[in-house]
Amino acid sequence: MMTGPALMEEMGLYLAAMSVGDPSGLRFAPNFRLTENGRALGMGEGLWGCKPRFSGIQSFADALTGQIVCVGVAYVADQPRPFAQRLRIVEGELAEAEAIISTDSKGHFADVEQLLKPDILYQAMVPSHRRVDRDGLREVADRYWEGLEQSDGLIPRFNYRCDKYDNGAKTTNTLRTLLSADGKVHSCASALNDTRAARPKARERRFPVLDVELGVAASFVVVDFHPIPAHPRPDVGAMYMLGLFKVVDGEIRIIDEIREFLPLGTSAGWGEPPSLSGNVAHG
């Protein structure tokens, strides 16, 4: 089993290799799989063919699952884009690589430049008496996805200081959303309540990183948002995202989401683990 710091190093090596388009120094498992925005790719395709540079990278590792995720900014053709990456390491070899590279960098629900200054709150250790265990972390994150699917902001447990950020943009408790398609100022709970008309379906939920000491749960999901005939919106489709949840006292303290919209019904291509024990083996 690789330690958290060793997994962090693997992510650094992977991003460095991608930035020069040369994977020769990496160790790949025979059945290595690579996806980007839900599409299966071969080495040299997608980001690997763009030689992106990375900034604002913040990584989180889980020694029990052998997985590590990072969020930050990828510069593609010198244009900053919200970015998330997951790696799975098996016996010292890269077995899986899953990337989200967003085309939404600036707007009411995106502000990529804010991702260049990652919130240090995620790196703060949670005092032992205020932590939850791995099952608790997974439950807190899963309750958020369930609240989104049920359009019920009472299902998750939100700390009263909680705010949510989408592709770097603060989307709760901010007047900037008055100029958005919603035309409202949302709390974390009311943002979930307001999705009911779009009949969201939160599927393919996975929890590759559960860090008890940091109180961080990293979770991938695909959420279908259906069209609303009376109120056309730009966010119709499958929202494929990595959610980062900081959990203190069993409550969500802050949420960051890196997401890209795909056609309605699109799969991320990694399935959905059958149980928490299955999470150790995969996703």
Side-chain angles (χ1 to χ4, degrees):
M1 179 187 299
M2 296 186 72
T3 65
L7 289 168
M8 295 277 195
E9 184 177 353
E10 291 290 334
M11 179 63 80
L13 292 172
Y14 186 86
L15 297 183
M18 194 188 304
S19 68
V20 295
D22 181 8
S24 61
L26 302 176
R27 297 166 294 173
F28 294 96
N31 59 345
F32 173 71
R33 288 185 60 208
L34 169 68
T35 69
E36 187 176 302
N37 289 352
R39 293 176 54 240
L41 299 178
M43 192 56 67
E45 299 179 312
L47 286 172
W48 274 98
C50 298
K51 297 182 180 180
R53 60 184 176 92
F54 300 97
S55 188
I57 295 297
Q58 192 165 204
S59 298
F60 305 90
D62 190 324
L64 289 180
T65 65
Q67 298 187 72
I68 179 171
V69 301
C70 76
V71 298
V73 177
Y75 285 85
V76 180
D78 289 327
Q79 297 299 311
R81 297 173 63 179
F83 168 74
Q85 179 73 58
R86 178 184 68 85
L87 301 178
R88 180 176 175 234
I89 312 296
V90 177
E91 297 181 353
E93 296 180 325
L94 281 163
E96 299 174 356
E98 173 183 13
I100 298 174
I101 179 73
S102 181
T103 55
D104 188 9
S105 297
K106 203 75 173 176
H108 294 302
F109 300 101
D111 190 354
V112 67
E113 292 179 358
Q114 299 305 320
L115 293 171
L116 297 172
K117 301 172 286 186
D119 198 320
I120 62 173
L121 181 61
Y122 286 107
Q123 301 296 340
M125 291 287 184
V126 178
S128 58
H129 65 285
R130 303 184 69 181
R131 296 174 184 170
V132 295
D133 60 14
R134 292 177 63 84
D135 286 358
L137 285 173
R138 174 168 177 160
E139 180 187 2
V140 169
D142 196 47
R143 287 175 70 94
Y144 179 82
W145 300 135
E146 191 63 25
L148 177 55
E149 180 167 293
Q150 300 297 329
S151 300
D152 186 347
L154 295 178
I155 293 177
R157 304 185 185 103
F158 293 115
N159 181 275
Y160 85 105
R161 294 178 182 271
C162 187
D163 273 308
K164 185 166 77 77
Y165 298 79
D166 291 87
N167 280 4
K170 188 172 187 281
T171 55
T172 55
N173 301 305
T174 173
L175 293 177
R176 73 196 301 271
T177 56
L178 282 174
L179 302 176
S180 72
D182 284 336
K184 301 174 183 176
V185 176
H186 279 296
S187 68
C188 290
S190 72
L192 298 184
N193 295 339
D194 208 49
T195 64
R196 183 171 300 278
R199 296 174 291 117
K201 175 67 175 175
R203 50 187 173 83
E204 300 182 38
R205 306 179 200 179
R206 293 172 288 130
F207 308 86
V209 172
L210 301 168
D211 187 322
V212 172
E213 290 187 345
L214 291 181
V216 169
S219 178
F220 283 85
V221 71
V222 182
V223 184
D224 287 327
F225 287 93
H226 297 86
I228 307 171
H231 300 283
R233 293 172 55 94
D235 55 357
V236 171
M239 186 186 288
Y240 174 29
M241 59 184 154
L242 167 64
L244 284 182
F245 302 88
K246 180 76 175 187
V247 181
V248 183
D249 300 321
E251 300 173 331
I252 302 174
R253 174 62 179 82
I254 187 174
I255 310 166
D256 265 86
E257 295 173 347
I258 303 296
R259 82 294 186 272
E260 172 72 344
F261 270 101
L262 304 175
L264 194 65
T266 301
S267 171
W270 294 99
E272 191 164 0
S275 66
L276 183 62
S277 61
N279 189 42
V280 174
H282 178 80

